[in-house]
Amino acid sequence: MVFDSKMLPAQWKKVCVIGAGMAGLAAAREMRLEGHAVTVLEQGGDVGGQWLYDPRTDDDDPLGAAPAPVRVHSSMYASLRLISPRESMGFTDFPLLPSDGAGRDPRRFPGHREVFLYLKDFCDAFGLMDAVRLYTRVLRVAMAPRQSPAGAGGAGEPKWVVRSVRLGERRDGADVQEEVFDAVVVATGHYSQPSLPTIKGMEVWRRRQLHSHSYRLPEPFRGEVVVMVGCGDSGKDIALDLIGVAREVHLTAKSTEAAMTPAMSKLLAKYANLHLRPQIEHLCEDGTVVFADGSCVVADTVIYCTGYVYSFPFLDTEGKVTVDDNSVGPLFEHVFPPALAPSLSFVGVPKKVPAPWFFEAQGKWVAQVLSGRRSLPPEEEMMRSVGEHYRSRAAAGVPVKCTHELGGVEPLKFIEFGEKYCDFPRYEDWKREIILCANRRRDEDMETFRDRVDDDSDHVRLCLQSWRCLSSTRGDASVAAAPPPLAPTSMAMASSLALNSTGSGSGSGHG
């Protein structure tokens, strides 16, 4: 098809979205709705990011200690289920409704495959797959040399050179290509690159050590004594997965008093092979694990459930964007680096926010700024805002590593975010209420909170009735939500990308 620039909006941009997880797909859809030509680069064999379960692990590096990036992107384990109800998730015009179809999970707190299938449905409903290049890893993203436009004395708008490689094909370099884009949206998630603690003796402990990134199934740990480092969501969830097969499971916490919730007390009373311990003091070469209170145990395996770090090994900004103490910065409102805005942006950096709703709002803001419908403050003003954010966090005693945590610290910030920047609807109060209710239930009983009989408020019940009514009209709603003009426009965009490409067609997204 011949590319006709008249088919595109006056300020359309050629945009590269890195990652086809929840954040990347949200951003890609918003780019298209705004009329931009979008290409999504995804290193996996399908969309979904973290929600695309991968049974493989990096056997050569189970700790994930090697330099980024990890070989296996997904950190999903087989038994994982949502900790928030499905009604609180989903795109604004494409809710995560229960389905009784083959292979579907209609439970209120479904397993990970249900979310993956939902994201596949989303792609189909909005025709996004033609913009996604699978098995494509991004090697480098850097600003292109600035050139003065014809007849002008100043430099033109910045461009970005994206170098990518097709995976599983030729290894002689012929499958590496470089393309130039007007803008790049980084949406690679932050649940892949392990964060490891520094514990005395880790380097000499000869038995099995792994990060939760490499955990998939409980069976390999049958009959073992397992020590879990970290008492967060993943640590407790994996401990529950293991107590049915392991001889002993020792769950460590920075503060055993803080960790002793009613739910933890119930578990310790119910399972004689589950133990709550203080932090590890050191590891011994003979397999002994010594805890901070002087007690010890001879263990077969240590699993580090110590979280993840932000990592963008492909991104070359000449120091304008850095990751320091797990804080990505400087970022204006967690999205735009002031010195490189708006041509470089990040979608999906904030933690503890409702997904994918928050990613939609971020993507819509970026798309509208790129098209010229919205404007950003001057660079100096954005930098001043970032500095104020850091200072207010420090004054409140929030660690730097929690810079991007909004829920629980600044809940109003995420609730009002879209309304403030792109006329995106507020996150509904009833959805936040059911999330908080689920959190309370989890603190009461970690084993049963997902399957308890609903004890929602009258207000939530009324809202849920309206939400469930959408199930009969989901198909019609999704079709109506996809604007008809996008079909011919997307074809023109594809032709544009082909004309501007310097080779044949990286990144993987989590959301």
Side-chain angles (χ1 to χ4, degrees), residues 15-71:
V15 182
C16 176
V17 175
I18 304 176
M22 192 175 280
L25 294 176
R29 201 269 294 259
E30 295 304 326
M31 295 298 150
R32 278 201 161 176
L33 289 174
E34 193 64 17
H36 299 298
V38 61
T39 297
V40 183
L41 302 184
E42 166 58 51
Q43 71 177 355
D46 209 336
V47 300
Q50 282 295 330
W51 300 103
L52 176 59
Y53 175 74
D54 190 341
R56 301 173 303 159
T57 60
D58 189 349
D59 294 333
D60 295 332
D61 185 25
L63 281 174
V70 290
R71 291 186 183 179

Side-chain angles (χ1 to χ4, degrees), residues 218-240:
E219 189 57 35
F221 306 90
R222 182 170 291 278
E224 290 191 355
V225 175
V226 181
V227 174
M228 313 283 298
V229 180
C231 199
D233 291 336
S234 61
K236 289 182 285 191
D237 215 28
I238 293 173
L240 280 171

Side-chain angles (χ1 to χ4, degrees), residues 319-403:
K320 291 182 175 65
V321 179
T322 61
V323 179
D324 185 21
D325 196 8
N326 212 31
S327 173
V328 186
L331 292 182
F332 176 60
E333 295 291 12
H334 310 275
V335 175
F336 290 106
L340 300 170
S343 63
L344 180 67
S345 59
F346 293 77
V347 170
V349 166
K351 300 178 180 179
K352 298 185 179 179
V353 293
W357 173 87
F358 193 80
F359 306 152
E360 279 187 277
Q362 289 184 307
K364 185 176 289 294
W365 185 30
V366 173
Q368 291 181 356
V369 170
L370 289 176
S371 70
R373 283 215 289 154
R374 303 277 172 178
S375 60
L376 292 174
E379 180 182 338
E380 297 78 12
E381 188 176 329
M382 288 192 283
M383 284 299 298
R384 194 158 48 246
S385 174
V386 172
E388 289 172 358
H389 173 70
Y390 290 162
R391 287 190 291 273
S392 65
R393 283 295 187 102
V398 179
V400 173
K401 66 181 180 179
C402 298
T403 295

Side-chain angles (χ1 to χ4, degrees), residues 212-276:
S212 56
H213 170 73
S214 297
Y215 177 81
R216 295 294 182 271
L217 295 162
E219 189 57 35
F221 306 90
R222 182 170 291 278
E224 290 191 355
V225 175
V226 181
V227 174
M228 313 283 298
V229 180
C231 199
D233 291 336
S234 61
K236 289 182 285 191
D237 215 28
I238 293 173
L240 280 171
D241 214 20
L242 290 172
I243 52 179
V245 298
R247 180 153 54 96
E248 296 176 16
V249 176
H250 297 264
L251 189 61
T252 71
K254 290 182 179 179
S255 168
T256 53
E257 289 185 8
M260 191 61 77
T261 62
M264 181 62 72
S265 297
K266 288 180 183 178
L267 288 177
L268 295 173
K270 182 177 180 179
Y271 296 102
N273 63 336
L274 179 65
H275 309 273
L276 181 63

Side-chain angles (χ1 to χ4, degrees), residues 54 97 110 131 137 157 168 217 220 231 299-300 314 318 325 338 347 355 365 419 443 460 470 478 481 506:
D54 190 341
L97 294 160
R137 174 175 292 159
E157 291 187 6
L217 295 162
C231 199
D300 300 289
F314 54 84
E318 300 179 347
D325 196 8
V347 170
W365 185 30
E419 198 175 45
D443 288 341
V460 167
L470 292 173
S478 64
S506 177

Side-chain angles (χ1 to χ4, degrees), residues 84-124:
S84 296
R86 68 191 308 145
E87 299 94 340
S88 65
M89 297 183 64
F91 294 90
T92 51
D93 55 356
F94 198 77
L96 179 52
L97 294 160
S99 170
D100 293 323
R104 304 305 292 248
D105 185 348
R107 293 177 295 179
R108 195 177 194 192
F109 294 81
H112 57 79
R113 179 168 171 76
E114 175 71 4
V115 181
F116 164 70
L117 293 175
Y118 164 75
L119 292 175
K120 292 278 287 180
D121 290 343
F122 176 76
C123 282
D124 292 341

